Amino acid sequence: MELRVFGERREAELALAREIAELVRLRRDEGRGAVLGLATGRTPVGVYAELVRMHREEGLDFARVVTFNLDEFEGVSADAPGSFRRFMHEHLFAHVNLAPECVHLLRSDLTGAAAAAHCEEYEAAIRDAGGIDLQVLGVGLNGHVGFNEPGSPRDSRTRRVELHPVTRRSYSDGLGEEAPTHALSMGIATILEARRLRVLALGAHKADIVAELLRGEPRAEVPASLLHGHPDVRLLTDPEAATASSPTP
Ligand code: GLP
């Protein structure tokens, strides 16, 4: 896993937004649309803001871009404050020229066999799109990626998952309401199939997990560590997140 420590948060956000923009232009020149894997959470907000700016001011064209979001809460309506669908519309989709049929989000209104079938269809849609070119990832305080909580196996695919108490607490703190108990999430194996993985970890509250991630052998207790060994995985941090991560002698 390649570590890049930027001088400040903004530089990391701009670097990732520029990489995404270059990929979008490259694929467009090749006559096809880039396939992007997208994450929610506080971390990528500045990246999406910069993509919106590039669309408005520089004409960055999303007409053929295809997107797949990582995860979604179960049972949260599309207009609820915690809805990832709502988040993506507010921060990106409503402000760029993505074609609605090219935007893919996991549904929040399914349970049981219907949810399982939907997850299989989601995997098939990713394959039909030619696979994900670049997956944007944040990392949870307990090392989760998407909603792959500690213990998630390396061969996991898109599925219904139970949320860890740490995850539920961090959401209910932010939302002022009880976080749902379950979610649908791409699996670790699904994520590992993306051609580029870009993990953003910003701020002092991510220092421990960044240190753990860089120190540790891949193990299911720290799901983000299972991304080690991917041929093109980069961890983008700011000095606050990287403080505890200088190599130990
Ligand atoms: C969440 C999401 C992840 C996200 C992570 C970090 O629970 N399911 O996709 O990357 O937590 O969130 P934040 O960026 O707010 O720290």
Side-chain angles (χ1 to χ4, degrees):
M1 189 176 294
E2 183 191 339
L3 173 67
R4 295 224 176 149
V5 184
F6 292 84
E8 56 177 347
R9 176 188 184 107
R10 187 81 190 123
E11 287 176 32
E13 294 168 348
L14 292 181
L16 183 51
R18 285 183 191 130
E19 183 178 7
I20 292 169
E22 270 170 39
L23 180 64
V24 166
R25 292 191 190 101
L26 176 78
R27 289 283 182 263
R28 191 166 181 273
D29 292 347
E30 293 169 353
R32 54 201 178 110
V35 183
L36 304 177
L38 301 177
T40 50
R42 284 176 290 273
T43 311
V45 167
V47 177
Y48 299 147
E50 177 61 9
L51 290 174
V52 170
R53 191 201 63 76
M54 286 192 265
H55 170 69
R56 285 186 178 148
E57 296 178 13
E58 298 167 14
L60 182 64
D61 184 9
F62 288 82
R64 301 185 68 178
V65 171
V66 178
T67 68
F68 288 92
N69 261 81
L70 270 175
D71 47 14
E72 179 59 285
F73 286 121
E74 183 181 278
V76 166
S77 65
D79 56 353
S83 157
F84 289 171
R85 183 175 293 266
R86 172 173 165 168
F87 174 99
M88 290 309 303
H89 278 277
E90 285 181 358
H91 290 283
L92 184 66
F93 298 161
H95 312 293
V96 296
N97 62 327
L98 275 159
E101 66 275 17
C102 293
V103 169
H104 300 83
L105 290 136
L106 285 156
R107 286 173 58 169
S108 59
D109 59 339
L110 302 174
T111 51
H118 174 56
C119 290
E120 277 183 31
E121 285 163 16
Y122 205 71
E123 292 270 340
I126 295 173
R127 282 195 299 276
D128 290 350
I132 292 172
D133 287 311
L134 185 152
Q135 175 68 56
V136 176
L137 293 162
V139 56
L141 294 178
N142 62 0
H144 74 217
V145 281
F147 273 138
N148 293 282
E149 299 282 25
S152 297
R154 197 177 185 285
D155 61 359
S156 52
R157 314 287 327 185
T158 305
R159 69 205 185 289
R160 180 177 190 255
V161 293
E162 186 175 356
L163 299 174
H164 191 278
V166 170
T167 306
R168 296 192 65 217
R169 208 173 311 124
S170 72
Y171 272 96
S172 48
D173 287 353
L175 294 175
E177 59 186 66
E178 273 291 281
T181 54
H182 290 80
L184 300 186
S185 178
M186 280 189 203
I188 299 287
T190 321
I191 293 168
L192 282 169
E193 282 169 4
R195 285 180 276 279
R196 298 185 210 176
L197 302 180
R198 297 295 178 260
V199 186
L200 263 182
L202 304 170
H205 63 305
K206 296 290 169 79
D208 287 347
I209 189 60
V210 165
E212 171 67 28
L213 197 52
L214 292 173
R215 176 185 325 119
E217 287 294 300
R219 57 193 182 98
E221 279 318 300
V222 185
S225 72
L226 299 175
L227 308 180
H228 280 296
H230 182 282
D232 190 352
V233 55
R234 218 172 265 171
L235 176 60
L236 289 76
T237 69
D238 56 8
E240 291 78 12
T243 41
S245 63
S246 32
T248 36

